Amino acid sequence: MLLMEKVALLTRQNENFALAMIIESKGSTPRHVGKMIVYCDGTIEGTVGGGLAEHYIIEESVKALQTGKSKIVEYKLNKHAKDGIQMNCGGTLRVFIEVYQSRPELILTGAGHLASALAKLADMLEYPYCVVDDRFGYATKARFPNATNIFVNEDIGEALLEASPTERSYVIIVTKDRDDRVLKTALQFPIAYVGMVASKRKTITIFEKLKSEGVTPEQLEQVSSPIGLEIGSETTEEIAISIIGEIIKLSRETKPVKVKQLNR
């Protein structure tokens, strides 16, 4: 497989990685052209020439993945030059490190009008999403044609269990009812985010119920409810925009806080 084909595959698989590419070389260097995929653990595919310069480029790529910011790095491959590295080639090398970050993976828990609006925004942003509901007539491929999967069960908590949320999952609870069941189920997984559409009064009621069932206040503090950015939204579409806006903001934070899971 060609390296750029692998880049395309990793992008489709929603993986985190960096692509280091030589953009300029002067004088004697190990290579004048080259590309290299760098993963979060420092493993690579491809090469930009090997040696000490490549070692430094791998280090910088891992740092770029940690911060989520692309960068350009430059090295003088001359141990006698000022700011040079311990190499004898004598030339200079400039490399562009492009960061490919995984996109938030949405779990739309509820398949009503708001979920439909959220799905359209997810399609536009190329965010993968699945749909969870207890209504077979709502959670359909016809209504959510681009969903990666649809999970329907008369017990919506079981449907969410089938979705198997991961640390990349952003669970958005927009159900018609049983929010408490769904929220308690979501907190069983090490997810990136859980948000629930509810009024302040309803949120308090649900939280008190879950506390009586063993959910800790610390865990409930991690729940975003009411959900979305404060933009004065009123219509379904505006609410969907505020929710996606909140997820974009949180997903771009350098160190996103993962939801602490309940013991199952």
Side-chain angles (χ1 to χ4, degrees):
M1 180 183 294
L2 296 176
L3 195 72
M4 294 310 293
E5 290 178 343
K6 186 59 180 287
V7 168
L9 176 62
L10 291 170
T11 303
R12 289 196 298 272
Q13 293 175 337
N14 203 28
E15 299 291 340
N16 282 325
F17 66 97
L19 178 66
M21 179 170 53
I22 296 172
I23 57 174
E24 184 180 10
S25 65
K26 295 180 180 178
S28 178
T29 61
R31 294 189 66 163
H32 295 287
V33 295
K35 300 182 183 71
M36 176 175 68
I37 294 171
V38 183
Y39 298 99
C40 295
D41 62 357
T43 56
I44 65 171
E45 292 188 52
T47 182
V48 288
L52 189 58
E54 182 166 287
H55 172 75
Y56 287 146
I57 292 164
I58 293 170
E59 285 188 340
E60 290 298 325
S61 297
V62 171
K63 290 178 184 177
L65 282 165
Q66 291 170 346
T67 63
K69 296 180 180 179
S70 301
K71 64 171 78 171
I72 294 175
V73 294
E74 183 172 335
Y75 299 99
K76 297 177 183 177
L77 313 185
N78 184 348
K79 63 183 179 182
H80 301 294
K82 183 181 179 181
D83 301 325
I85 63 174
Q86 293 295 310
M87 293 183 71
N88 296 312
C89 301
T92 59
L93 197 64
R94 295 183 78 220
V95 175
F96 176 49
I97 299 172
E98 184 176 9
V99 172
Y100 289 75
Q101 288 186 301
S102 62
R103 304 174 299 285
E105 297 178 356
L106 310 184
I107 298 182
L108 305 180
T109 310
H113 298 303
L114 183 51
S116 179
L118 287 164
K120 290 174 182 176
L121 289 174
D123 289 339
M124 186 166 55
L125 293 167
E126 297 184 342
Y127 285 3
Y129 66 92
C130 69
V131 179
V132 171
D133 207 299
D134 55 1
R135 297 169 293 179
F136 290 86
Y138 277 73
T140 66
K141 203 65 177 174
R143 297 189 70 238
F144 299 94
N146 297 314
T148 56
N149 217 326
I150 295 176
F151 301 93
V152 190
N153 192 301
E154 291 180 355
D155 183 335
I156 194 168
E158 289 297 321
L160 182 55
L161 286 173
E162 292 171 19
S164 299
T166 70
E167 62 181 13
R168 292 182 183 174
S169 298
Y170 288 68
V171 179
I172 305 172
I173 301 174
V174 288
T175 54
K176 70 181 191 308
D177 53 28
R178 293 313 312 273
D179 301 44
D180 57 329
R181 166 75 166 132
V182 174
L183 180 55
K184 188 175 182 180
T185 303
L187 289 171
Q188 295 178 15
F189 295 88
I191 53 181
Y193 165 95
V194 57
M196 179 174 65
V197 171
S199 65
K200 290 183 179 180
R201 179 182 291 274
K202 184 178 180 180
T203 298
I204 291 170
T205 301
I206 290 171
F207 281 13
E208 289 302 319
K209 183 176 187 298
L210 292 184
K211 285 177 186 176
S212 70
E213 296 175 1
V215 180
T216 68
E218 181 187 15
Q219 289 162 330
L220 293 172
E221 284 174 3
Q222 300 171 101
V223 180
S224 180
S225 184
I227 193 173
L229 298 177
E230 291 286 352
I231 60 173
S233 53
E234 293 185 359
T235 67
T236 299
E237 290 74 19
E238 289 171 347
I239 294 169
I241 289 170
S242 74
I243 293 170
I244 292 295
E246 182 173 275
I247 288 172
I248 291 171
K249 180 178 181 294
L250 292 173
S251 68
R252 297 286 168 81
E253 291 181 352
T254 303
K255 295 180 180 179
V257 177
K258 303 297 183 184
V259 173
K260 293 181 181 179
Q261 65 194 101
L262 294 170
N263 293 323
R264 285 190 274 179

